[in-house]
Amino acid sequence: MTTDSLPASRAERRKQELRREIIETAFDCFAERGYHATAIADIAARLGIGHGTFYRYFQNKRDIVDHVITDLIERVVASLAAENAPEAVSSLAEYRAQAERIGDALGRIFGSDPRIARFLLLEAAGIDAEMRERVLEFQSTAAQLTAGYLHHGVQVGYLHSDLDVDATARAINGMIIAAVLAALCDPVPTSQERMSAAIRRLMYDGIAPRA
Amino acid sequence: MTTDSLPASRAERRKQELRREIIETAFDCFAERGYHATAIADIAARLGIGHGTFYRYFQNKRDIVDHVITDLIERVVASLAAENAPEAVSSLAEYRAQAERIGDALGRIFGSDPRIARFLLLEAAGIDAEMRERVLEFQSTAAQLTAGYLHHGVQVGYLHSDLDVDATARAINGMIIAAVLAALCDPVPTSQERMSAAIRRLMYDGIAPRA
Amino acid sequence: MTTDSLPASRAERRKQELRREIIETAFDCFAERGYHATAIADIAARLGIGHGTFYRYFQNKRDIVDHVITDLIERVVASLAAENAPEAVSSLAEYRAQAERIGDALGRIFGSDPRIARFLLLEAAGIDAEMRERVLEFQSTAAQLTAGYLHHGVQVGYLHSDLDVDATARAINGMIIAAVLAALCDPVPTSQERMSAAIRRLMYDGIAPRA
Amino acid sequence: MTTDSLPASRAERRKQELRREIIETAFDCFAERGYHATAIADIAARLGIGHGTFYRYFQNKRDIVDHVITDLIERVVASLAAENAPEAVSSLAEYRAQAERIGDALGRIFGSDPRIARFLLLEAAGIDAEMRERVLEFQSTAAQLTAGYLHHGVQVGYLHSDLDVDATARAINGMIIAAVLAALCDPVPTSQERMSAAIRRLMYDGIAPRA
DNA sequence: TATGAATGAGTCTTCATTCAT
DNA sequence: CATGAATGAAGACTCATTCAT
C-alpha cells in the first residue's frame, strides 16, 4: 500500500521479475557458451525453474535471444540518450566535450561488462540471417544518431561545411566499434585511453600535419 | 613422372583439387544458410559426393569451417600483399596514393563477393568462442599491417611524429570495416565512393576546420 | 429454500450447468481438431474459464471424452426412444411406418449436426482401446434394439418366421451406419433419401426379382 | 546370377526389405497400442534398429501410418481383385455364387488377422482429419466396386431394373462392414456364418414374406 | 578409395496435471 | 471455489560421425 500505486498485483510483478531474470540468465548462458551451444534446459536449470516454465514466458529459443538483444541495444541506447542532445552544442569546443562524454558513456557501458560487446557485436550476427539483419540495422541506427550530431555541427558552422555527414558518421562509428573490440582483447584502461585519444586525434587533426 | 616434377601423382593432384572444391562449396553453403544450419550432407550433396567422403578430407565440421576462414583470410591478405610495401613510400602524397590503392584492392575483393565480408566479419564470430578469437586475431593482424604503414610514415616524417600508430591503425581499420559493412547494406558504387572519401577526409583533414 | 424444492442450492445448479457447458465445449473442440490435438487449455480458453477449473469438474482428459461420448450416445438413444415401442406394431405396414419414423429420427439427429456421426462413428474408436470397446458396445446395444423390433415382428408373424434376428439386426444397422456416413460425404437431401430408399428396398424386396 | 535378374543390387533389396519390415512392425505397434500411444522409438526398438534409422526410410510418423494404411488397403483390394470380374456373371445364381466368393475372400483376409479390420475400420479414422478422409474415400471406392457388380446385374437383367446401384452398393457394403466388425467382437465361425447368411437373406429375400 | 547406411546423443517443444494463492 | 503458474515426462526429429562394403 506504499509504492504499489499501479493495479499491478504482486503476482503480476513477480511475473515481470521472472521474465527479466530469464532474459538475464539467457544472456549469461549465451555469452558463456554461445547461442547454439545453449539449451533452453541450461537456462532453466541455472535459474532453478522447470524448463517448461520457460515456455510460459517466451515463445521459443529464438524469441528469447531476440529479447536479449533488444535488452542489450536498449541499454546501449539508454546510455547514449542520457547525454546532451545535438542542439545543446554551439562550438567545436563544446562538441568535443560532448563527444568525450558520449565516449565515456560508451566506455562505461561496454567496460562494465565485456560480454555486452562480445555478444552484440561479435556473436549475434552469427545466429541467423534475421539476427544479422538486426545487428546491421542497429549499426545503421547508431550511424544516424552520430550523423545527427555532425549535421548540427555543419549547420551551426563548427564542422566542415561540405562534410558528408552520413558517410562520416559511419566511419566514426566504425572507429568506436574498433575501440570497443580492442578493449575486448586488451581490457587495460591505458589502451582504452589510447584508442580514445587516437580517435579524437583523427577526428580533429587527421593523421598528418597540414600543408 | 611426365610433366610432374614433384612426386605428386595425378591422384594426389586430384585429391588437392577436391579438397579445394569442398572448401569452396562449404563456403557457398555456410554463406547461404549459415554455419549451424548447414549439414555436412548439404555440402556433399551439392558437390555430388557421398558425405562419408567428406571425412576423408576433413576431420569434422569444425575443421572445414576453419579452412574456409583460412581461405578467406588468405584471399584478403593476398589482395593486400599485392600492394607496395610501406618502405616504397616517402611522402604524404605517395602515402595517400598507396592508401588509395589499398582501399581499391579491398573494395575489389569485398565488392567481388559480398558473402566474403558477411561471413568473415559478421557470421564467423558467432560460430564458437575459438572462431571468435580467430576473427579478433585477424583484425589484430590487420591492425599491425596498417600500423606498419603508419610507423613508416612517422619515421620518414610525413605523418604526425607523435602519432599513436597502433591505436590509430585500429581506428583506421575500424573505418574500413565500417565501409565494407555499409557496402553490404547499400551496395551502390556511389555510397561506396562516399564512404571512401569520408574516410580520406577524416584521415587527412579531420572533421573540423583547424583553428 | 425459495423456489427450490430440492436441496440443490443455486450453487449446485450452477455447477451442473457449467459441467454441461464443459461437455459441450469439449465436444466442439474434439470435433474441430480431434481428441489428441485438443488440449484441456483449449477447452477452458474457449469457455473462458481457467484450465485448473476443468479439473474440479472432470478427473482428467480421458474422463471428459467419456462424458462427451456418453452424451452423444444418450442423444441418439433418446431420439430413438421417442419412437413407438416394438409392441405397438402388429403388421408389416405398421412396421414399415415405424421403421420409417425411426429412420427419420436418426436422419434428424445426425443431420442436425454432422459432427455427431463423425465423432461417434469415425473418430472415437481411434482414441484408445477402451473407447474402441465402448463404440463397439454401443453398436451391439443398437443391434439389440433393432433385434427387439425384428423379434416382435417374427413373433407376431409379419416377418420371416425363421429370421436370424440378431444377425439381421446387425446387418440392418450396418446399412444405417453406411447411410449416415454417406450423408457425411455428400450431405445433399436427395442422396440421403436415395440411401434411405435403397435400404427399404433391400429390406422388403431384396435386390432381385423373385423366382 | 540366378534370380537376380534386375540390376537391383543386394543393398537395394536389403533396403526394400527393411522398408517393408518397418511398415509391418509399425502396424504391429499401432494395432497393439494405437497410433498416438506408439512412439517411433517403440517401432525402432521392436525392430532392433536405431530410431534414427527409421527416418532414413520414412519422412515422419505421419508418413509411416500412411504407408501402413496403404498397405492394408492394398491387401484388401488384392484379395477382392482375385475374384471374377462383374462381366463374368450372367444370371442371379452366378451372381450369388460370385458374391459368396467375394464374401469368403473378405472373410479370409479379415479373419486372418483381426487387427486389419480393427485398425482400418475403427482406429485409422481417429488419427486426424486427413486420415479420416482417406478412410471415407476407401469406403467410397469400395462402394463403387460393389456398384459395378450391381450395375452389371441390372444391365443383364438379373437384378431389379430400377435398382439404385450406388445407394444399394453403399448399403450392402455397410452390411459387410457390420459383419466384419461383428466378427471382431465375436470371432466364432458360427456367428460369422450367421451374419453372412443374414446378409444374403436380406439381399435376395428381404426380411418379410412378400404380399 | 568412395560410399551411404546406421546410429543415438542431443534439443526443442507440448501439455496433462498439481497446488499454492 | 476458481485460478493459472509451475512442472517434467514424453516424444518427434536432426545430424555429425562411424564403419562395413
Side-chain angles (χ1 to χ4, degrees):
Chain A
M1 195 222 275
T2 51
T3 58
D4 202 348
S5 55
L6 292 177
S9 67
R10 196 162 330 130
E12 186 58 29
R13 263 207 324 277
R14 174 87 198 92
K15 196 161 176 169
Q16 288 307 319
E17 228 168 79
L18 181 48
R19 209 183 140 79
R20 172 124 294 275
E21 281 183 295
I22 293 176
I23 292 178
E24 278 160 13
T25 308
F27 175 50
D28 292 346
C29 292
F30 292 156
E32 227 163 77
R33 308 218 260 279
Y35 172 75
H36 284 105
T38 298
I40 294 299
D42 295 335
I43 301 170
R46 186 180 289 212
L47 256 169
I49 63 173
H51 60 284
T53 306
F54 171 90
Y55 287 92
R56 291 188 58 73
Y57 289 83
F58 296 94
Q59 287 278 315
N60 50 39
K61 195 180 174 184
R62 190 49 221 276
D63 191 24
I64 183 68
V65 74
D66 246 359
H67 279 88
V68 166
I69 291 290
T70 301
D71 186 56
L72 293 181
I73 290 181
E74 268 172 11
R75 280 206 248 170
V76 174
V77 168
S79 109
L80 293 179
E83 307 307 314
N84 330 28
E87 300 78 31
V89 169
S90 58
S91 72
L92 183 57
E94 282 175 25
Y95 174 82
R96 294 187 63 149
Q98 187 183 52
E100 197 147 348
R101 280 199 306 279
I102 292 175
D104 287 351
L106 285 170
R108 240 174 287 126
I109 178 95
F110 285 120
S112 72
D113 187 350
R115 303 173 311 161
I116 298 177
R118 213 162 54 203
F119 192 62
L120 192 53
L121 298 178
L122 287 175
E123 311 202 29
I127 289 172
D128 63 18
E130 205 182 320
M131 187 59 84
R132 190 216 306 143
E133 239 34 61
R134 267 201 83 183
V135 170
L136 287 177
E137 255 169 53
F138 166 57
Q139 296 198 9
S140 286
T141 306
Q144 277 166 27
L145 220 82
T146 300
Y149 288 95
L150 297 179
H151 187 68
H152 180 71
V154 170
Q155 285 204 313
V156 171
Y158 56 82
L159 295 184
H160 284 309
S161 61
D162 58 347
L163 201 68
D164 185 335
V165 289
D166 290 317
T168 307
R170 286 196 111 92
I172 290 174
N173 282 9
M175 293 194 289
I176 292 171
I177 290 175
V180 171
L181 293 182
L184 272 187
C185 300
D186 184 10
V188 183
T190 330
S191 48
Q192 289 175 38
E193 180 46 41
R194 278 177 57 195
M195 278 299 301
S196 170
I199 294 173
R200 284 197 305 271
R201 184 79 185 265
L202 261 165
M203 285 174 65
Y204 305 116
D205 291 339
I207 59 174
R210 298 203 194 177
Chain B
M1 212 221 257
T2 52
T3 58
D4 231 340
S5 55
L6 292 177
S9 66
R10 192 160 336 124
E12 184 60 28
R13 265 207 325 278
R14 175 78 199 103
K15 190 161 176 157
Q16 288 308 316
E17 228 168 78
L18 181 50
R19 212 183 138 77
R20 170 127 296 275
E21 281 184 296
I22 293 175
I23 292 176
E24 277 160 13
T25 309
F27 174 51
D28 291 347
C29 292
F30 292 157
E32 229 164 75
R33 310 218 259 277
Y35 172 74
H36 284 104
T38 297
I40 294 298
D42 293 336
I43 301 170
R46 188 180 288 211
L47 254 170
I49 64 172
H51 57 285
T53 308
F54 171 91
Y55 287 91
R56 301 203 144 276
Y57 290 82
F58 297 94
Q59 288 279 317
N60 50 38
K61 195 180 174 183
R62 191 46 222 279
D63 191 24
I64 182 69
V65 73
D66 248 356
H67 280 87
V68 167
I69 289 291
T70 301
D71 186 57
L72 293 181
I73 289 180
E74 270 171 9
R75 280 206 249 170
V76 174
V77 168
S79 112
L80 293 180
E83 308 307 316
N84 329 30
E87 299 77 32
V89 168
S90 58
S91 72
L92 184 57
E94 282 175 26
Y95 174 82
R96 293 187 62 146
Q98 186 181 53
E100 198 146 347
R101 281 200 305 278
I102 293 175
D104 286 352
L106 286 170
R108 241 175 287 124
I109 177 94
F110 284 120
S112 71
D113 187 349
R115 301 173 312 158
I116 300 177
R118 212 163 54 202
F119 192 61
L120 191 54
L121 298 177
L122 286 175
E123 310 200 29
I127 290 172
D128 62 19
E130 205 182 319
M131 187 58 83
R132 190 216 306 142
E133 242 31 66
R134 270 201 80 184
V135 170
L136 287 176
E137 258 169 51
F138 165 59
Q139 297 199 8
S140 286
T141 307
Q144 277 164 28
L145 219 82
T146 301
Y149 288 95
L150 295 180
H151 187 67
H152 180 71
V154 169
Q155 284 203 317
V156 172
Y158 57 81
L159 295 185
H160 285 307
S161 61
D162 58 346
L163 201 66
D164 183 336
V165 288
D166 290 317
T168 307
R170 283 191 175 276
I172 290 174
N173 283 9
M175 291 194 290
I176 292 171
I177 291 176
V180 170
L181 293 182
L184 272 188
C185 301
D186 183 10
V188 183
T190 331
S191 47
Q192 291 175 36
E193 179 47 41
R194 277 177 58 193
M195 277 302 301
S196 172
I199 293 173
R200 285 197 306 271
R201 183 78 186 265
L202 260 167
M203 283 175 66
Y204 307 117
D205 291 339
I207 59 175
R210 298 201 192 177
Chain C
M1 211 223 258
T2 51
T3 58
D4 231 338
S5 54
L6 293 176
S9 65
R10 194 161 331 128
E12 185 60 29
R13 264 207 324 277
R14 176 79 199 101
K15 188 158 181 166
Q16 288 307 318
E17 229 168 79
L18 181 49
R19 214 182 135 78
R20 172 126 294 276
E21 281 183 295
I22 293 176
I23 292 176
E24 278 160 13
T25 308
F27 174 51
D28 292 345
C29 292
F30 292 157
E32 231 163 75
R33 310 218 258 277
Y35 172 74
H36 284 105
T38 297
I40 294 298
D42 294 336
I43 301 170
R46 187 179 287 212
L47 254 169
I49 63 171
H51 57 283
T53 309
F54 171 91
Y55 286 90
R56 301 206 145 275
Y57 290 81
F58 297 94
Q59 287 278 316
N60 50 39
K61 195 181 176 184
R62 189 48 222 280
D63 190 23
I64 182 70
V65 73
D66 247 357
H67 280 88
V68 167
I69 290 291
T70 301
D71 185 56
L72 293 180
I73 291 180
E74 267 171 11
R75 280 206 248 170
V76 174
V77 168
S79 110
L80 293 179
E83 308 308 315
N84 329 31
E87 300 79 30
V89 169
S90 58
S91 73
L92 184 57
E94 282 175 22
Y95 174 82
R96 294 187 64 147
Q98 187 182 51
E100 197 145 347
R101 278 199 305 278
I102 293 176
D104 287 351
L106 286 170
R108 242 174 286 126
I109 179 97
F110 285 120
S112 70
D113 186 350
R115 301 173 311 159
I116 299 176
R118 213 163 53 202
F119 192 62
L120 191 53
L121 298 177
L122 288 175
E123 311 201 30
I127 289 173
D128 62 19
E130 204 181 320
M131 186 59 83
R132 190 216 307 143
E133 242 31 65
R134 270 201 79 184
V135 170
L136 287 175
E137 256 168 52
F138 165 58
Q139 297 198 9
S140 287
T141 306
Q144 277 163 30
L145 218 82
T146 300
Y149 287 96
L150 295 179
H151 187 68
H152 180 72
V154 170
Q155 284 203 317
V156 172
Y158 56 81
L159 295 185
H160 285 306
S161 61
D162 58 348
L163 201 67
D164 183 337
V165 288
D166 289 317
T168 307
R170 287 197 112 89
I172 291 174
N173 282 9
M175 293 194 288
I176 292 170
I177 290 176
V180 170
L181 293 182
L184 272 188
C185 302
D186 184 11
V188 183
T190 330
S191 50
Q192 292 175 35
E193 180 46 42
R194 278 177 57 193
M195 278 300 302
S196 171
I199 292 173
R200 286 197 306 270
R201 184 79 186 265
L202 261 166
M203 283 174 66
Y204 306 117
D205 290 340
I207 60 175
R210 298 202 195 177
Chain D
M1 169 219 304
T2 51
T3 57
D4 204 350
S5 54
L6 290 176
S9 66
R10 195 162 332 128
E12 187 59 28
R13 264 210 322 279
R14 174 86 198 91
K15 199 164 171 164
Q16 289 307 319
E17 225 168 81
L18 181 48
R19 210 184 140 79
R20 172 124 297 275
E21 280 184 295
I22 293 175
I23 292 177
E24 277 159 13
T25 308
F27 174 50
D28 292 346
C29 290
F30 292 155
E32 225 163 80
R33 308 217 261 278
Y35 173 75
H36 284 104
T38 297
I40 294 299
D42 295 336
I43 300 170
R46 186 180 288 210
L47 256 169
I49 63 173
H51 60 285
T53 307
F54 171 90
Y55 287 93
R56 291 189 57 74
Y57 290 82
F58 297 94
Q59 286 278 316
N60 48 41
K61 196 181 173 184
R62 190 47 221 274
D63 191 23
I64 182 66
V65 73
D66 247 357
H67 279 89
V68 166
I69 290 290
T70 301
D71 186 57
L72 293 180
I73 289 180
E74 268 172 11
R75 281 207 247 170
V76 173
V77 168
S79 110
L80 292 180
E83 307 308 316
N84 328 32
E87 299 78 32
V89 167
S90 59
S91 74
L92 185 56
E94 282 175 26
Y95 174 81
R96 293 188 62 149
Q98 187 181 52
E100 198 146 348
R101 281 201 303 281
I102 292 174
D104 286 351
L106 286 171
R108 240 175 288 126
I109 177 95
F110 285 119
S112 71
D113 187 349
R115 300 173 311 159
I116 300 175
R118 212 162 54 202
F119 193 61
L120 193 53
L121 298 177
L122 287 175
E123 310 200 27
I127 289 172
D128 63 19
E130 206 182 319
M131 187 57 85
R132 190 215 306 143
E133 240 34 62
R134 267 201 83 183
V135 170
L136 287 176
E137 257 168 53
F138 166 57
Q139 298 199 8
S140 286
T141 307
Q144 277 165 27
L145 220 84
T146 300
Y149 288 96
L150 296 180
H151 187 68
H152 180 72
V154 170
Q155 284 203 315
V156 173
Y158 55 82
L159 295 185
H160 284 307
S161 61
D162 59 347
L163 202 64
D164 183 336
V165 288
D166 290 315
T168 307
R170 283 189 174 278
I172 290 175
N173 281 10
M175 292 194 289
I176 292 171
I177 290 175
V180 170
L181 293 182
L184 272 188
C185 301
D186 184 10
V188 183
T190 331
S191 45
Q192 290 175 36
E193 180 45 45
R194 279 177 56 194
M195 276 301 301
S196 171
I199 293 173
R200 286 196 305 271
R201 183 78 185 267
L202 260 166
M203 284 174 67
Y204 306 116
D205 290 340
I207 58 175
R210 296 203 194 177

